[in-house]
Amino acid sequence: MDERAALRLLSDELAAAGDDAAIVDGLVVTTDMLHDRTDFPDGTTRYTAGWRAVGASLSDIAAMGGSATAAVAAYAAPTFDRDELLAFVRGARDVCEHVGAEYVGGDLDGHDEFTVSTTAIGRTADPVRRSRARPGDVVCVTGTLGRSGAALRLFDRGHTDRANALFRFEPRIATGRALAARASAMMDSSDGLARSLHQLAEASDCGFAIDADRVPIADAVHDVTDGDGDALEVATTFGEDFELVATLPEDALPAVREAADVPLSVVGSVRDAADGITMDGEALADRGYTHG
Amino acid sequence: MDERAALRLLSDELAAAGDDAAIVDGLVVTTDMLHDRTDFPDGTTRYTAGWRAVGASLSDIAAMGGSATAAVAAYAAPTFDRDELLAFVRGARDVCEHVGAEYVGGDLDGHDEFTVSTTAIGRTADPVRRSRARPGDVVCVTGTLGRSGAALRLFDRGHTDRANALFRFEPRIATGRALAARASAMMDSSDGLARSLHQLAEASDCGFAIDADRVPIADAVHDVTDGDGDALEVATTFGEDFELVATLPEDALPAVREAADVPLSVVGSVRDAADGITMDGEALADRGYTHG
C-alpha cells in the first residue's frame, strides 16, 4: 500500500484524521516526520532543519486557522554533535518565536539516519476544514510558490546559503487567523498547488478554474528555471512551500487582506464538481510531491 | 557527546525542558521516539508497538500529575502493510481509551527502519516537578517493577504472547492525578528505579534510603530470573516499566491510596543529600537503561 492509500485508510479509521491537523478539545494538534534522505538535501544546515521541521507542523496549525501555542521535536541521529544540536534547537526556537509559540524541547534518539519528528499544538474555536468550498468563491494563495523547488536546484548547484534561506519559510499563522473568519475551506500547499486543489475539490465536492498568470511565482524560481513554462511547473507541482490555499467569498477579500500579514493572490475560482479542475481551461493533473 | 550529555545540554538551553514533560500555557506536552532495533524486540506485535509507544508518552503526562487529553504518532516503516498499520492504530487508540485521552492520528513516513514518534498532550494546573522532595518524606512506587525486563527475556525465549502482554502497560494517569495533590516530587520509572532515584536526588538535592525487600517486584520477573538477587537487579535497574516514583509526606499516604487505582508501595525515605542514595545501607549505583 503506498503512502496516500495508507493515509486514506487512517482517515477512514480515525474520526479526527484526514485534515491538516486534528481538532480535540479546543486544541489543534499535528505531527510530522522528516528525514535526511528525502527532506534535507546535502547542504541543509541543522539550523535550517530545525526551523523547517518545526515550521512544517506550525503550517498545519495555520491551515486550520489556529493560533500557535507550542511545538516539540524528537531529534534522531547517529551521533549527537554539540554544535549541530544547538543549531537545530535555535532554528526550532526561532521559527516558534516568529509565530508566538513556545518551543519546549523534546526527545533524543540514536538512529542510523538523521530523522526529526515534530508536533505542534495550537488553539482555535472555529477550525477551517477542507470541505466547505462553494462554487462562486474565489481561491487564493498566500505569499509566493516554488521557493522549495528553487531551493532544491540551488542545493544541487552548491548555492547553499541562498538555498538554506529559501528553505526557512514563515508559517502563515497570522494570515491563517485572518482567513479563518471568512474562509470556506483551507489547507497548506505542502503537496503543491495542483495536488492541494485536488484534495480541496475531493473534500468539498467542487471544481476549480485557475488562471496560470495569476499564480504567484517566487523570484528565485525564475532564477533557476528555463522559461515561464518550467517556472509555472515548479510553482504549481513541487510543493513543500507551506503557503495557504483558501477559498472564500470575493466580498470578504478586502477585510481579510487588511488583517493578513502577507499578500493574498486570487488565482481562480471555485466551480461545480462537474467542471473539473482546470488551469487556463485545460485539465490540471493531480501531480505533485508525494512525501517520502 | 552521549545521549545523557546531550539531554543536559538541551535542559540548559530550554527553560521548559529537563522534566518528564514540558508545561506550557496550562498544557503538559511530551514527545518520544522509539525504533525497531532498540525498543521493539523480535516478536513485538504492531498492536503492542502502538500501545507501548503512545503509552510511553502518556506516562510522561502521568509523571507531571496531568490528565490526558490527546496523543498523536508518526509511523515510519519501509512499507505500509494494511493489517500492521491498523493493528498499530488500534493499540494506540486502546491505550488512549484506558486513560481518557483521544488518539487523533498522525503522520506516515517511508523509512528503512520501523520508527515511531509519539506526542501526548495533557492538562494540569498544578504540575509535580522532580525538584521538591524533602528529607522525611516517604518515597513510593506504583504497581510493580521489572515487567519489561521480564518481557525481554520472554521474547528471547519465544514466549511472545506473554511478552507482548507484559509490554502493554497501563499509563498511571489516574494515580498520577491522585499523587499530584500531595507529592513533593515525581517522575516515571522509564530509566529504572535506581536511575530515577539519582535523577530525583539531583533535582531535589536530597538522598534516599531504600529497603530492598519493599521493592515491589512483578511476578513475571521471578519466573524468568535465577534467585532473588537477579530479580531485584531486573526490578531496580532495567526500567521501561513506566511506573511512577513519587515522594510525599507520610501522613498523606492514606488519602492518596484511597484515590489511586493501583497499589502504592513505600520503598524507603528521603534523606539529606549528604547521606547519599542507599539500598539496605549500601550505595545504590546510578545504573539503568540508557535509551537508544
Side-chain angles (χ1 to χ4, degrees):
Chain A
M1 178 158 53
D2 70 14
E3 187 177 325
R4 291 179 77 191
L7 284 169
R8 270 196 299 276
L9 178 70
L10 288 186
S11 163
D12 293 343
E13 188 72 11
L14 294 165
D19 214 310
D20 291 76
I23 303 292
V24 53
D25 203 12
L27 301 175
V28 193
V29 186
T30 181
T31 194
D32 296 281
M33 189 182 285
L34 302 178
H35 57 108
D36 218 16
R37 209 180 33 220
T38 54
D39 300 293
F40 303 118
D42 276 355
T44 308
T45 66
R46 288 289 156 103
Y47 178 80
T48 296
W51 178 297
R52 188 168 175 83
V54 171
S57 289
L58 291 167
S59 176
D60 285 328
I61 303 294
M64 303 302 291
S67 60
T69 304
V72 291
Y75 176 108
T79 58
F80 300 116
D81 175 85
R82 185 177 193 283
D83 291 341
E84 287 183 352
L85 193 55
L86 286 177
F88 179 89
V89 166
R90 284 171 187 152
R93 195 160 50 187
D94 286 353
V95 72
C96 283
E97 276 176 12
H98 260 267
V99 299
E102 191 176 349
Y103 179 65
V104 295
D107 192 25
L108 295 173
D109 188 35
H111 208 294
D112 287 343
E113 188 182 357
F114 176 53
T115 302
V116 182
S117 183
T118 56
T119 301
I121 301 160
R123 295 181 200 268
T124 176
D126 54 351
V128 185
R129 313 279 179 175
R130 298 178 177 181
S131 53
R132 290 167 198 159
R134 280 174 297 241
D137 286 350
V138 295
V139 53
C140 64
V141 173
T142 59
T144 58
L145 300 176
R147 284 191 324 275
S148 287
L152 213 64
R153 297 192 187 191
L154 289 165
F155 276 121
D156 279 349
R157 297 172 193 179
H159 300 155
T160 54
D161 285 354
R162 190 168 178 213
N164 273 285
L166 287 166
F167 247 33
R168 294 191 299 269
F169 62 92
E170 185 149 343
R172 299 305 187 194
I173 295 286
T175 299
R177 294 292 303 144
L179 280 159
R182 297 302 304 276
S184 49
M186 186 155 67
M187 65 181 294
D188 80 359
S189 69
S190 57
D191 294 332
L193 176 63
R195 178 151 288 163
S196 298
L197 292 169
H198 277 268
Q199 290 172 328
L200 288 173
E202 189 182 342
S204 290
D205 191 27
C206 68
F208 289 104
I210 304 299
D211 299 326
D213 61 9
R214 300 175 85 180
V215 173
I217 301 177
D219 290 342
V221 177
H222 294 295
D223 297 344
V224 297
T225 51
D226 301 321
D228 289 348
D230 189 18
L232 183 66
E233 173 77 11
V234 168
T236 55
T237 66
F238 186 84
E240 296 277 283
D241 286 319
F242 305 101
E243 296 292 351
L244 300 179
V245 184
T247 60
L248 68 167
E250 190 161 15
D251 66 9
L253 272 172
V256 170
R257 282 187 163 135
E258 176 88 17
D261 65 351
V262 287
L264 283 179
S265 302
V266 172
V267 297
S269 57
V270 181
R271 298 297 171 92
D272 288 326
D275 297 333
I277 300 167
T278 60
M279 183 179 283
D280 292 350
E282 302 285 322
L284 180 65
D286 183 10
R287 285 185 303 116
Y289 187 80
T290 297
H291 296 271
Chain B
M1 178 158 52
D2 70 15
E3 187 177 324
R4 291 180 76 190
L7 285 170
R8 269 196 300 276
L9 178 70
L10 288 186
S11 163
D12 292 344
E13 189 71 13
L14 294 164
D19 214 310
D20 291 76
I23 303 292
V24 53
D25 202 14
L27 301 176
V28 194
V29 186
T30 180
T31 195
D32 295 282
M33 189 181 285
L34 302 178
H35 57 108
D36 217 17
R37 210 180 32 218
T38 54
D39 300 294
F40 302 118
D42 276 354
T44 308
T45 65
R46 287 290 155 103
Y47 179 80
T48 296
W51 178 297
R52 189 167 173 84
V54 171
S57 288
L58 291 167
S59 177
D60 286 328
I61 303 293
M64 303 302 290
S67 60
T69 304
V72 290
Y75 176 108
T79 58
F80 300 116
D81 176 85
R82 185 176 192 282
D83 291 340
E84 286 183 354
L85 193 55
L86 286 178
F88 179 89
V89 166
R90 286 172 185 150
R93 196 159 50 186
D94 285 354
V95 72
C96 282
E97 275 176 13
H98 259 267
V99 299
E102 192 176 349
Y103 179 65
V104 294
D107 192 25
L108 295 174
D109 188 35
H111 208 293
D112 286 343
E113 190 182 355
F114 176 53
T115 302
V116 182
S117 183
T118 56
T119 300
I121 301 160
R123 297 181 198 268
T124 176
D126 53 350
V128 185
R129 315 277 180 178
R130 298 180 177 180
S131 53
R132 290 168 197 156
R134 280 174 298 242
D137 285 350
V138 294
V139 53
C140 64
V141 173
T142 59
T144 59
L145 300 175
R147 283 191 325 276
S148 287
L152 213 65
R153 297 192 188 191
L154 289 164
F155 277 121
D156 280 348
R157 296 172 194 178
H159 300 155
T160 53
D161 285 354
R162 190 169 178 211
N164 273 284
L166 286 167
F167 246 34
R168 294 191 300 268
F169 62 92
E170 185 148 343
R172 300 304 187 196
I173 295 286
T175 300
R177 294 292 303 144
L179 280 159
R182 297 302 305 276
S184 50
M186 185 155 65
M187 66 182 293
D188 81 359
S189 69
S190 57
D191 294 332
L193 177 62
R195 180 152 288 163
S196 299
L197 292 168
H198 277 267
Q199 290 172 328
L200 289 172
E202 189 181 342
S204 290
D205 190 28
C206 68
F208 288 102
I210 304 299
D211 298 327
D213 60 11
R214 301 174 84 178
V215 172
I217 301 176
D219 290 343
V221 176
H222 294 296
D223 297 344
V224 298
T225 51
D226 301 321
D228 290 347
D230 189 16
L232 184 66
E233 174 77 12
V234 169
T236 54
T237 66
F238 186 84
E240 295 278 283
D241 286 320
F242 305 101
E243 296 292 350
L244 300 178
V245 184
T247 62
L248 68 167
E250 189 161 15
D251 65 11
L253 272 174
V256 171
R257 283 188 162 135
E258 176 88 17
D261 65 350
V262 287
L264 283 179
S265 301
V266 172
V267 297
S269 57
V270 181
R271 299 298 171 93
D272 289 325
D275 296 333
I277 300 167
T278 58
M279 183 180 283
D280 292 350
E282 302 287 320
L284 180 65
D286 183 9
R287 285 185 302 116
Y289 187 80
T290 297
H291 295 269

